Structures are given as structure tokens and as C-alpha cells.
Amino acid sequence: QVQLQESGPGLVKPSETLSLTCAVSGYSISSDYYWGWIRQPPGKGLEWIVSIYHRGNTYYNPSLKSRVAISLDTSKNQFSLNLTSVTAADTAVYYCARRRANWDFDYWGQGTLVTVSS
Amino acid sequence: QSALTQPASVSGSPGQSITISCTGTSSDIGSYDYVSWYQQHPGKAPKLMIYDVTNRPSGVSNRFSGSKSGNTASLTISGLQAEDEGDYYCTSYTISSTLVFGGGTKLTVL
């Protein structure tokens, strides 16, 4: 059974960098599949942020590309998200998920709320 | 990239059928069969219900079905049940090798 779990600070100050990690169990991220992040501002809809292939190819939401970085840590079987220069508009529940080649997400983490506030 | 267009809300009585539309463009839905649908209950992560326009993952009820015509995809739920109440989102792959979500539809079971 594939399981994903997000972790990271729940509060980030404006202009700083939001950093989250997604620990994966039940499947080796170096074997196959894509891995990605999706966010959901409170009371609003879902927004795709970024995806990375196990071989390193990355795909970005154009509206966030200049501020986003994603990386894999195969030794710890986890992947990470960095979002720089955050503002209140980046306040959201952040989900990590496994993405298939046909661009659907079949396994999701429970989500973690990140609030941007001073 | 612009979000796909979904109705803000739909409703139906138990046992009835409802359809949620998802309208995109020739740069996304109109050009690819990589359309998916997700169900989300309050405070929970989304759950994949339909992928590749018409396919159901293992364990998803056959009351859920998907289709596509031109630039519009649709999700139909037949035999509506109280547990179907929640938010539904469509997604599509785009010509720019990105993914776009719909704005979401709130389904109310009366």
C-alpha cells in the first residue's frame, strides 16, 4: 500500500521560503512514476504546482515556475518542495501525490496547512 | 494557463442521476484524452474517480462514468447516494506539458 506524508513548518513569514517534504512508503520513488505537489487555498479550488519524474525531468505550473524547486532524495525515499518569496496568497493546504504518465494522481498525502503570516 | 470551467454547484435527489461538465479548449481537453475527475470530502485529500476520460480505478463504483465531446468533458453519477456529496474537480493535460484543474463543483444530495 503506497502512502505519502507531508511534513514541514505550518507557519512561514512573508518573503521567506516555504519548504515541505513528502515521505513515501510502500513504493520506491526511484523505480518509476512521477511525484508532485498540489495546493488548495482555504475554501478554494485545487492548483497543480509541479511534478518530477524519477529520472529527474520536471514540469512546472507556469504561474509558479520562477519560485518553485522540487527535488528527490532516493536515499530517504522522499521528495521536497521549495517555494520562494512567499506572500499571503501562498497560504494553502499543500498535498503531495504520485502522478502517473497519463497525468492523473492516484495516491495522495493527507495534506498540510501552511500559513504565510508575520 | 486558464482553469477549466465547471458549474459552481449541482444537486440531485437520492437515486437520481447528475452530470457535471468541464469545459476547456483545443489546447487541453480538445486535444488529449488525459482527463481525470476527483472527489473531495471536507477536510480530506482528493480521491481519483475517473482517469483517461472514461476509466474507473479499482474500487470506484460503476455509478461513476466519464465522457468527452470536443472541448468538454463530463462526469455522470447515477443512482445518487448521500455519500456522493462533496466537491468534484476535473483536470486535463495541456499542450504546454502542464496540468490544469477545473474550479470545482459542489454536489449536494437533497
Side-chain angles (χ1 to χ4, degrees):
Chain A
Q1 175 76 345
V2 180
Q3 293 184 316
L4 297 91
Q5 178 68 56
E6 305 90 350
S7 63
L11 181 64
V12 180
K13 289 182 169 56
S15 81
E16 296 189 344
T17 297
L18 179 161
S19 296
L20 296 174
T21 296
C22 181
V24 180
S25 59
Y27 191 85
S28 171
I29 64 172
S30 61
S31 295
D32 200 353
Y33 292 101
Y34 300 74
W35 306 90
W37 293 91
I38 303 100
R39 70 181 182 179
Q40 184 171 35
K44 296 187 178 181
L46 297 163
E47 179 182 35
W48 171 70
I49 303 171
V50 64
S51 297
I52 185 168
Y53 190 41
H54 73 100
R55 292 181 180 178
N57 313 59
T58 53
Y59 304 84
Y60 299 91
N61 183 325
S63 67
L64 298 168
K65 184 176 181 178
S66 63
R67 298 193 293 128
V68 168
I70 186 171
S71 60
L72 298 171
D73 186 339
T74 56
S75 66
K76 295 182 179 179
N77 212 41
Q78 64 188 31
F79 59 102
S80 299
L81 172 73
N82 276 356
L83 180 64
T84 63
S85 304
V86 297
T87 69
D90 295 309
T91 293
V93 174
Y94 285 76
Y95 295 100
C96 61
R98 188 177 81 169
R99 203 209 89 191
R100 302 193 295 187
N102 52 358
W103 287 80
D104 64 59
F105 293 94
D106 59 350
Y107 289 97
W108 295 64
Q110 65 184 25
T112 186
L113 174 63
V114 179
T115 301
V116 178
S117 175
S118 55
Chain B
Q1 55 186 30
S2 299
L4 305 174
T5 301
Q6 298 181 232
S9 63
V10 299
S11 63
S13 299
Q16 289 185 332
S17 294
I18 64 95
T19 296
I20 300 172
S21 62
C22 172
T23 301
T25 69
S26 58
S27 296
D28 39 65
I29 293 177
S31 292
Y32 305 97
D33 286 338
Y34 291 159
V35 176
S36 300
W37 289 90
Y38 298 86
Q39 175 193 66
Q40 186 180 35
H41 290 133
K44 300 296 186 181
K47 174 186 177 183
L48 180 65
M49 304 302 285
I50 296 287
Y51 66 95
D52 292 353
V53 179
T54 62
N55 295 323
R56 280 188 312 276
S58 173
V60 172
S61 170
N62 59 9
R63 297 186 298 104
F64 291 82
S65 62
S67 63
K68 189 184 88 167
S69 177
N71 297 337
T72 298
S74 298
L75 173 71
T76 297
I77 308 174
S78 60
L80 208 56
Q81 299 179 1
E83 67 202 49
D84 300 331
E85 188 164 285
D87 296 324
Y88 289 82
Y89 295 89
C90 60
T91 67
S92 176
Y93 175 68
T94 82
I95 198 172
S96 303
S97 294
T98 62
L99 185 76
V100 61
F101 274 89
T105 298
K106 182 178 181 59
L107 169 62
T108 300
V109 180
L110 302 171

